[in-house]
Amino acid sequence: ASFTISLRMVDNVTVMIKLRPSVSPSCQIHVKNVIRSELKIKPGENVTFTFTCSTPEKYFIMEIQKNIDCVSGPCPFGDVHLYPLGLPRLNRTFIWDVKASTKAGLELKFSTPWLKQIEPGETCPDFVSYNINSCIDMATVNIGTFCRNGSVSRVKLLGGVIMSLHLPWDSPLTTSGFSIANRASIKRLCIIESILKGETSITLMSPNYPLGFPEDELMTWQFVIPSNMRASVFFHNYSLSNCERKEERVEYYLPGSLSNPEVFKLSDSQPANIAGSFNLSLQGCDQDAQNPGILRLLFQVVVQHPQVDENVTHLVDLSKEWNMTVTIHFEGWPSRIPLMSEPICLICKDPRTCDRVVMLVSGAVYKISFLCKDLSRLRITAEKGISCVDLRWCQRKVYSLLVPKAITQLPIRLHKFIWNLLAPDLINIEITSPSLKLQQHVPEQRCNTSYSYSIVSATPETELNVGVFCPGGSIEKIQLRNNITISLKTFGKGFLNESNHQDLKMSFVPHIKDECTFTVSPDPKAKVYLQTPNWPYGLPPYVSISWYVVVPRKQVAHLGFSKDRMGIACETGRAYVNIKEETPGAEETVRREDELLPEPRNMYHNFWVNVSNCKPVDKTQLTLQFWVTFADKQIDLGVILAVVAGAGVLMTIGLTVCCVKKKKKKSQNPMVGVYNANVNTQVPGKQGLFTKGRKNNESHVYAVIDDAMVYGHLLKESNGSVAPEVDVYRPFDGPIGSSPPSPPPFSFRKDIKRSPNTEEPPPLTDTDHDTYTFAHQKSGQLEDNGDTNEKNNGDTSTSLLENKEQDGLVE
């Protein structure tokens, strides 16, 4: 097909057809028997041409440029038309180059659906785009690139303008969609007007973005918003230049403000909750010629309906807190940046200061309100620091690691609360959970609570991830060296109910030997799984970890490892597993990394498990897991039989004593025992009756002194020769030998038969003191208070009291 383009001189239009960049010239233009790769048609020319291929849109592009001179003559104001007609279907760009005086202003007015600014490099959904450049003197400033379907209704410029419209080859568009009007000088680079109806969000950029805004220039954005709507401004990306004079800033003209214009730094939180239309201006400065820097700005304006509870404020009292920050933010902050199209939630410190992210600091009281339809998309992250400088002062203090009520009372879900515990050298940290205790999150025993604690021990050189723990376990105490970070993370809404039962505490303690020590006090019915820190990446080199396991009374613990070897090879040093019960004389079980781990075993007392790492060779890591269960102690059958036998013996003895007492009460003439240390303790003619030594038998012990005894008649029978003590018993304080006690004095006897062979007893050398008791005995009753084992062995010796009765001892 052939095409004819006829240009009038008065229109001042030039048409250029040329090859697309980076496309091979396999298609040509045929003009009057001449083959060309490009064609330029000037004003007043009429050219007919054809293409040598059937799909010229793949190879060629077309530019149609119209020059408009508003300096030397009148400007053709009004709607701008796409001229000429009948152009070939190629990707084409219409360019309107308008030259105007800087003393006047030009206005580009766009028909609905207006325009939307995009970042450089972005493409429009329908591939139809506008590009606006301002020309001041010899400088050209890129005001921006725009797509259709937006809110930008007008652009006012100072001086000339170069307006471009890019159309794809198959676009049905037949009108330019804008008009040009003359305006008075605007005294600034440009004014961009946006009309925002209903809830919406737009993104705008400073001229030349992402390059620098012109030096010492001023521009304005005008936002037309219904008075019943609320607008908020957010700066998402900006940079500042190096100023020699003046200061870069933004100025707002806000409805109802008594201090217009309100001036803000680009680093400030920008106004929010603005009721109705407002203006925003960007002011540059005089830049340093040697190092000018770049001033640029990308910002967002969000328009919302007033919230039902916009006047509801929440008191957040942090006046009594210390060294704490509270950040209220959108979900996913800070790693995720929300899309501009997402519904926005604002947190307001006051009616005008709102943002997507708000930080509160300790020592102050805040009144917080929310501009958000769905508060479930907001989160709270808090951080608190606790440090110790002097152990003498802080060792006596116990810190409760609790989430303050000022946070839990907010209608926002707590995402994370972080405690940074800082301890200097030779001071360590102890974490306890006295009532709830902690459970280590392991694959075999996962946490299913509404929150958990992640504990990390860190130094400038290394970091040890101790593990993830949740309440309701067996770990009472964790002692750690170095600085500690504890992060409480919540899952779901259940934390609001469980937050009242937190009991995690910490204190500073003197230096400990191991990198980490756990005190484990399990439930006797539970099976406890414990694993080394830094799971599954392995313990750092040369780190030692210990567990102290408390075994309940009447229980026996069963200890076992989840694998049979440590699974590492050491490059330097040795890795060890040590197990030892905490009881005198207990043997310690030790295994190296090249040995099998101990088989499951019973532990009857509290015990220690220690794991010490070496420097492993590459690609090997020390990870160990062990488990502990409990069972009731089983009593041995032999012990049971021994106990039963002992009970039988005691019963027999008890019965014997009872019988003796009954017989003793029937005695008419009770006997009296009087001890005299001056008499020979050996009965004449009866030596050797006590085969055991004096200290080894109980022949000197009598059962009882009867309270009904009467001693007075003994004195009458003694004829006054001896005056023994009556009704008084004095314990023997003299030496005790191996012989039995001495009999009563001779004056108490009626008939004494002495043996001519009586020998004196050997000297007494024993210094033990014995207490003697006396018993009534019926005449003829035999009661041996000596060693019963001797009787059982066949000893026929008679007791001392029996001898006295046979010799006619008068009582």
Side-chain angles (χ1 to χ4, degrees):
S2 63
F3 300 91
T4 299
I5 297 178
S6 180
L7 302 178
R8 296 181 304 178
M9 182 65 71
V10 295
D11 292 330
N12 202 14
V13 173
T14 301
V15 176
M16 172 70 75
I17 301 174
K18 55 186 178 180
L19 286 170
R20 299 176 65 175
S22 304
V23 173
S24 61
S26 57
C27 188
Q28 301 290 324
I29 303 173
H30 191 199
V31 182
K32 294 180 181 180
N33 299 322
V34 177
I35 300 299
R36 300 180 181 182
S37 60
E38 65 179 29
L39 175 63
K40 183 176 184 180
I41 306 173
K42 298 178 181 179
E45 292 183 348
N46 189 337
V47 178
T48 300
F49 59 93
T50 60
F51 295 99
T52 61
C53 62
S54 59
T55 55
E57 67 274 7
K58 295 181 179 179
Y59 304 96
F60 292 95
I61 58 174
M62 182 166 49
E63 290 182 357
I64 305 97
Q65 180 170 333
K66 180 178 177 65
N67 297 320
I68 303 174
D69 187 357
C70 294
V71 176
S72 57
C75 289
F77 297 126
D79 292 338
V80 175
H81 301 285
L82 299 182
Y83 176 83
L85 301 176
L87 296 174
R89 291 167 61 84
L90 303 175
N91 290 348
R92 53 204 181 275
T93 300
F94 291 90
I95 302 172
W96 294 271
D97 187 353
V98 182
K99 291 181 172 55
S101 171
T102 55
K103 296 180 181 180
L106 292 176
E107 179 183 277
L108 304 177
K109 186 176 182 179
F110 301 95
S111 58
T112 54
W114 301 322
L115 302 182
K116 172 186 176 182
Q117 189 173 8
I118 61 173
E119 294 187 50
E122 289 187 34
T123 57
C124 299
D126 59 359
F127 300 102
V128 176
S129 63
Y130 296 84
N131 187 265
I132 304 173
N133 288 274
S134 174
C135 300
I136 301 177
D137 300 328
M138 300 299 294
T140 300
V141 178
N142 180 17
I143 302 300
T145 301
F146 302 82
C147 301
R148 297 194 300 167
N149 298 318
S151 64
V152 176
S153 58
R154 288 189 294 179
V155 177
K156 301 174 185 179
L157 301 117
L158 182 65
V161 60
I162 299 176
M163 179 71 178
S164 302
L165 171 61
H166 304 277
L167 299 175
W169 66 273
D170 57 352
S171 173
L173 197 65
T174 57
T175 59
S176 66
F178 71 96
S179 63
I180 299 178
N182 187 19
R183 291 290 181 264
S185 176
I186 58 175
K187 299 180 180 179
R188 61 198 66 203
L189 176 63
C190 65
I191 298 174
I192 299 177
E193 179 188 84
S194 290
I195 300 176
L196 303 170
K197 295 181 179 180
E199 288 195 337
T200 186
S201 171
I202 63 169
T203 301
L204 296 166
M205 285 145 273
S206 58
N208 280 345
Y209 187 90
L211 302 178
F213 185 69
E215 181 179 7
D216 197 24
E217 276 291 354
L218 172 67
M219 73 157 294
T220 299
W221 290 272
Q222 294 178 336
F223 300 98
V224 181
I225 300 170
S227 59
N228 64 339
M229 303 297 289
R230 300 292 182 266
S232 303
V233 180
F234 304 97
F235 287 2
H236 291 293
N237 190 13
Y238 68 88
S239 63
L240 303 175
S241 57
N242 298 314
C243 298
E244 283 190 342
R245 292 187 301 112
K246 301 182 183 179
E247 185 179 7
E248 296 166 336
R249 63 190 185 276
V250 289
E251 298 177 354
Y252 289 88
Y253 279 84
L254 302 172
S257 174
L258 301 177
S259 57
N260 282 326
E262 294 190 13
V263 180
F264 291 78
K265 295 179 180 180
L266 275 73
S267 57
D268 292 338
S269 254
Q270 304 303 309
N273 203 23
I274 304 169
S277 302
F278 68 98
N279 292 354
L280 165 60
S281 298
L282 175 64
Q283 174 67 63
C285 67
D286 291 334
Q287 298 173 349
D288 184 349
Q290 300 298 324
N291 184 21
I294 292 177
L295 169 61
R296 60 184 173 190
L297 172 64
L298 181 148
F299 67 99
Q300 182 185 19
V301 177
V302 178
V303 179
Q304 299 171 287
H305 286 289
Q307 304 302 309
V308 175
D309 58 347
E310 68 173 335
N311 294 324
V312 176
T313 58
H314 302 270
L315 187 67
V316 182
D317 187 357
L318 303 180
S319 58
K320 297 181 181 180
E321 298 295 337
W322 181 76
N323 199 17
M324 185 173 77
T325 61
V326 178
T327 304
I328 307 175
H329 55 86
F330 54 87
E331 189 175 8
W333 174 88
S335 58
R336 188 185 73 88
I337 299 176
L339 300 175
M340 300 293 185
S341 58
E342 287 185 28
I344 194 167
C345 277
L346 299 181
I347 307 103
C348 303
K349 292 182 181 178
D350 56 61
R352 194 59 64 76
T353 307
C354 305
D355 208 338
R356 279 183 163 178
V357 178
V358 169
M359 179 177 288
L360 315 177
V361 297
S362 54
V365 179
Y366 299 89
K367 292 183 177 180
I368 300 298
S369 61
F370 301 98
L371 289 176
C372 182
K373 285 187 175 180
D374 185 8
L375 292 178
S376 66
R377 295 190 291 112
L378 292 178
R379 297 288 184 270
I380 296 176
T381 297
E383 193 164 348
K384 182 179 179 66
I386 301 176
S387 60
C388 176
V389 177
D390 187 351
L391 185 61
R392 292 174 298 177
W393 178 82
C394 56
Q395 188 178 6
R396 299 187 299 270
K397 188 171 182 180
V398 177
Y399 300 84
S400 294
L401 304 184
L402 307 178
V403 178
K405 294 290 185 182
I407 295 176
T408 57
Q409 71 182 4
L410 288 173
I412 307 299
R413 175 178 153 188
L414 175 67
H415 171 62
K416 188 180 290 185
F417 197 107
I418 301 171
W419 290 274
N420 294 314
L421 313 179
L422 307 179
D425 294 340
L426 302 181
I427 298 179
N428 297 143
I429 293 171
E430 180 177 281
I431 303 166
T432 60
S433 181
S435 58
L436 295 180
K437 302 182 186 178
L438 296 176
Q439 172 189 320
Q440 188 172 15
H441 180 79
V442 298
E444 293 79 6
Q445 205 169 48
R446 297 180 179 275
C447 291
N448 57 2
T449 54
S450 64
Y451 65 99
S452 68
Y453 299 100
S454 174
I455 302 178
V456 177
S457 170
T459 64
E461 298 82 17
T462 61
E463 182 176 282
L464 180 66
N465 185 3
V466 179
V468 176
F469 304 85
C470 56
S474 304
I475 301 174
E476 282 187 348
K477 180 169 60 179
I478 305 176
Q479 291 182 319
L480 298 148
R481 295 197 304 193
N482 311 319
N483 298 331
I484 307 300
T485 298
I486 302 177
S487 301
L488 182 151
K489 188 174 182 180
T490 64
F491 308 96
K493 300 179 181 179
F495 177 73
L496 293 177
N497 298 325
E498 296 184 11
S499 61
N500 297 326
H501 307 293
Q502 302 172 78
D503 76 332
L504 198 68
K505 303 178 186 300
M506 68 80 55
S507 57
F508 294 97
V509 296
H511 187 70
I512 62 174
K513 175 184 175 182
D514 296 321
E515 193 77 22
C516 179
T517 300
F518 298 86
T519 299
V520 185
S521 181
D523 185 328
K525 298 180 181 180
K527 183 173 185 178
V528 181
Y529 289 89
L530 300 165
Q531 65 186 21
T532 51
N534 239 37
W535 189 279
Y537 306 107
L539 282 179
Y542 309 118
V543 166
S544 178
I545 308 293
S546 291
W547 292 264
Y548 178 67
V549 182
V550 178
V551 179
R553 292 184 60 188
K554 301 181 180 179
Q555 297 275 317
V556 58
H558 196 55
L559 167 68
F561 290 86
S562 298
K563 57 183 181 179
D564 57 358
R565 290 185 178 272
M566 296 190 207
I568 64 168
C570 291
E571 179 181 321
T572 306
R574 287 284 195 172
Y576 292 95
V577 171
N578 299 59
I579 304 170
K580 187 176 182 180
E581 286 187 288
E582 194 177 58
T583 183
E587 293 185 0
E588 185 172 5
T589 302
V590 181
R591 295 289 188 273
R592 294 195 313 258
E593 79 282 354
D594 56 350
E595 297 175 328
L596 289 172
L597 291 172
E599 294 291 332
R601 59 183 54 203
N602 290 334
M603 312 297 286
Y604 295 91
H605 305 88
N606 300 346
F607 63 94
W608 288 91
V609 177
N610 175 268
V611 177
S612 301
N613 198 13
C614 60
K615 182 181 179 182
V617 299
D618 293 339
K619 299 182 179 179
T620 61
Q621 301 293 342
L622 177 55
T623 57
L624 276 183
Q625 183 188 88
F626 62 93
W627 47 262
V628 180
T629 59
F630 293 92
D632 294 334
K633 286 183 178 178
Q634 300 296 324
I635 302 178
D636 188 72
L637 183 59
V639 175
I640 296 176
L641 294 176
V643 170
V644 171
V649 171
L650 292 176
M651 186 177 296
T652 304
I653 295 174
L655 291 174
T656 303
V657 172
C658 290
C659 294
V660 169
K661 286 186 176 180
K662 286 184 179 180
K663 292 180 179 181
K664 186 169 55 174
K665 288 181 180 179
K666 295 178 181 179
S667 175
Q668 296 298 324
N669 296 313
M671 298 179 65
V672 178
V674 178
Y675 178 77
N676 191 331
N678 298 320
V679 181
N680 187 355
T681 60
Q682 201 73 15
V683 177
K686 297 285 186 176
Q687 292 200 20
L689 288 178
F690 291 85
T691 57
K692 281 193 176 183
R694 178 68 181 89
K695 295 171 62 177
N696 296 330
N697 64 42
E698 297 179 354
S699 59
H700 58 290
V701 177
Y702 294 81
V704 68
I705 297 178
D706 196 326
D707 291 338
M709 289 290 293
V710 178
Y711 301 94
H713 66 283
L714 298 176
L715 296 175
K716 297 178 181 179
E717 297 185 15
S718 63
N719 296 321
S721 59
V722 179
E725 293 183 358
V726 180
D727 279 347
V728 175
Y729 169 72
R730 293 185 179 180
F732 175 66
D733 294 329
I736 298 177
S738 58
S739 300
S742 299
F746 289 100
S747 61
F748 280 75
R749 295 175 178 264
K750 286 185 176 181
D751 183 18
I752 300 177
K753 299 178 181 179
R754 298 181 59 92
S755 170
N757 299 326
T758 301
E759 296 182 6
E760 291 296 325
L764 302 178
T765 58
D766 199 332
T767 60
D768 288 348
H769 295 181
D770 291 313
T771 301
Y772 292 85
T773 56
F774 301 85
H776 300 195
Q777 189 170 349
K778 185 179 177 180
S779 178
Q781 177 184 348
L782 296 179
E783 183 175 354
D784 185 5
N785 291 324
D787 193 333
T788 58
N789 289 331
E790 289 186 16
K791 267 191 170 185
N792 294 335
N793 292 334
D795 188 6
T796 57
S797 302
T798 57
S799 68
L800 179 62
L801 290 181
E802 184 181 358
N803 291 336
K804 286 188 284 185
E805 190 173 343
Q806 292 174 350
D807 291 340
L809 180 62
V810 178
E811 298 186 19

